[in-house]
Amino acid sequence: MATTPAELFERHHVAIYRYLLRMTGSRETAEELTQDVFVRVLKGLELYQERDRERAWLFRIARNLRCDLARRWQRQPPSASLENVEALEPQRQELQLSLTRALAALAEDDREAFVLGEIGGFSYEEIGVICETTPAAIRSRIYRARLALRRTLEAPAVRERSFVRGTHA
Amino acid sequence: MREDFEVLSAVLDGDAVDIGQLAAALDDPEGRRVFVDFVKVRQATANDDIAPRGEFYDRVPGDLTLRARTKGRSLPYPLAAAAILLAMLFGSMLDLNVSRQDPSAPGPPEPTRVLRFEPGVDWQP
């Protein structure tokens, strides 16, 4: 039985939203693009049959929409946005803000590879397909991203909270 | 920063790595620090649980939300409650009718013979 757009939305919209939020730095833009992804799915689902690759397919649509928007707007690299974390408690706000700022400071290619790996849960090969490059390039991009994030997140307060939250996860 | 620490990032992602390179990286104290920091970065990212705001779901087309799809097919709550109440009332009336004795109805027939069984004789307990 074919997967319905509603089922795809239910399963993947949060991950797609997080990817778009991390890539655009704007909650409004991420929400608009997330909606656009699934509206496209709604209009053209018959083109898609491979259930096991639905996640990669959706992320590819999200990436194409994001790139189209970036080309239209010629946007600056995203900046850390307070509004994205204002509803969280103070400790988590600090961690999320540090992460948001650190991610925003990465080169776009490195950030995208890292976000697709960590948030999307994709392999190097899958990210390579989504980003139209080789798995080896993705491996290097993620490594560079981790090194940069390591330096940014190693402030004592953030390090301690990351550890504490990790033990409760 | 040594280039071969990339193997630590790759092993964290479950990628196939050269065991010799991995061992060399982990032999280096800096490599071990880097690996622990990579795990911390992963934990920090895993705790990223930001989701769309409530207004987002109001804007999403109804065809995309499971709730919206079933909404049109379900009964309104007052109607559903009334249907349940009626069903319960009807059920209890049936039950009353079945269990109630009708005084004008004929009683059971008289027995024509009586069988008696002795424990230890007709059956063993």
Side-chain angles (χ1 to χ4, degrees):
Chain A
M1 191 174 154
T3 305
T4 66
E7 287 166 337
L8 290 173
F9 179 82
E10 197 74 12
R11 281 203 286 267
H12 303 296
H13 79 275
V14 173
I16 295 279
Y17 169 78
R18 286 181 188 158
Y19 159 72
L20 290 166
L21 178 64
R22 290 307 180 196
M23 293 310 297
T24 64
S26 159
R27 189 166 58 178
E28 279 74 22
T29 307
E31 287 178 354
E32 281 172 23
L33 290 178
T34 301
Q35 185 175 330
D36 288 351
V37 168
F38 290 97
V39 166
R40 284 195 170 207
V41 169
L42 197 59
K43 290 178 178 172
L45 191 69
E46 69 280 1
L47 299 175
Y48 176 74
Q49 297 295 331
E50 295 175 83
R51 162 81 188 265
D52 59 328
R53 297 193 178 188
E54 67 188 26
R55 195 171 171 85
W57 177 65
L58 291 170
F59 272 81
R60 203 154 48 236
I61 296 172
R63 182 178 190 267
N64 289 341
L65 287 172
R66 182 187 67 75
C67 291
D68 288 348
L69 188 71
R71 274 193 291 271
R72 280 205 306 274
W73 288 4
Q74 295 183 326
R75 295 195 64 181
Q76 297 299 312
S79 57
S81 173
L82 272 171
E83 64 171 5
N84 295 328
V85 290
E86 65 194 359
L88 302 175
E89 67 265 33
Q91 285 190 352
R92 295 187 56 208
Q93 273 188 16
E94 189 179 337
L95 179 65
Q96 292 295 339
L97 270 178
S98 299
L99 183 64
T100 300
R101 289 191 183 113
L103 282 169
L106 295 176
E108 187 174 317
D109 285 348
D110 295 350
R111 181 168 71 245
E112 181 159 58
F114 178 81
V115 168
L116 284 170
E118 293 291 352
I119 295 177
F122 294 112
S123 66
Y124 292 162
E125 195 167 29
E126 290 168 322
I127 300 170
V129 171
I130 293 171
C131 297
E132 298 170 344
T133 187
T134 63
I138 295 301
R139 175 174 153 146
S140 296
R141 287 177 188 180
I142 291 178
Y143 173 57
R144 279 199 302 270
R146 284 203 173 109
L147 286 180
L149 290 172
R150 174 194 181 223
R151 284 191 288 272
T152 315
L153 293 177
E154 69 187 1
V158 174
R159 189 165 59 231
E160 181 61 26
R161 275 160 196 160
S162 170
F163 174 74
V164 169
R165 284 193 51 75
T167 57
H168 288 288
Chain B
M1 197 61 64
R2 285 172 50 173
E3 193 61 33
D4 55 357
F5 287 160
E6 186 175 314
V7 72
L8 299 175
S9 174
V11 82
L12 197 64
D13 290 328
D15 197 37
V17 296
D18 182 286
I19 298 299
Q21 277 185 3
L22 178 64
L26 290 174
D27 274 346
D28 188 328
E30 175 63 8
R32 292 196 291 274
R33 277 192 290 275
V34 166
F35 188 68
V36 170
D37 285 347
F38 282 178
V39 173
K40 286 178 184 173
V41 167
R42 166 154 291 179
Q43 286 183 349
T45 314
N47 290 325
D48 178 10
D49 53 2
I50 294 174
R53 296 167 298 174
E55 305 94 272
F56 165 78
Y57 297 96
D58 297 334
R59 294 197 304 266
V60 169
D63 290 345
L64 284 175
T65 56
L66 292 172
R67 272 177 301 176
R69 284 172 63 228
T70 55
K71 195 176 174 183
R73 295 179 201 159
S74 61
L75 283 175
Y77 284 125
L79 198 57
I84 291 170
L85 201 63
L86 276 175
M88 288 171 67
L89 193 63
F90 185 65
S92 64
M93 286 172 69
L94 273 180
D95 188 44
L96 281 174
N97 281 338
V98 166
S99 60
R100 188 185 300 154
Q101 293 277 343
D102 183 358
S104 64
E110 289 299 315
T112 53
R113 60 178 179 148
V114 177
L115 299 177
R116 293 186 187 281
F117 296 96
E118 293 290 326
V121 178
D122 297 306
W123 81 89
Q124 296 300 321

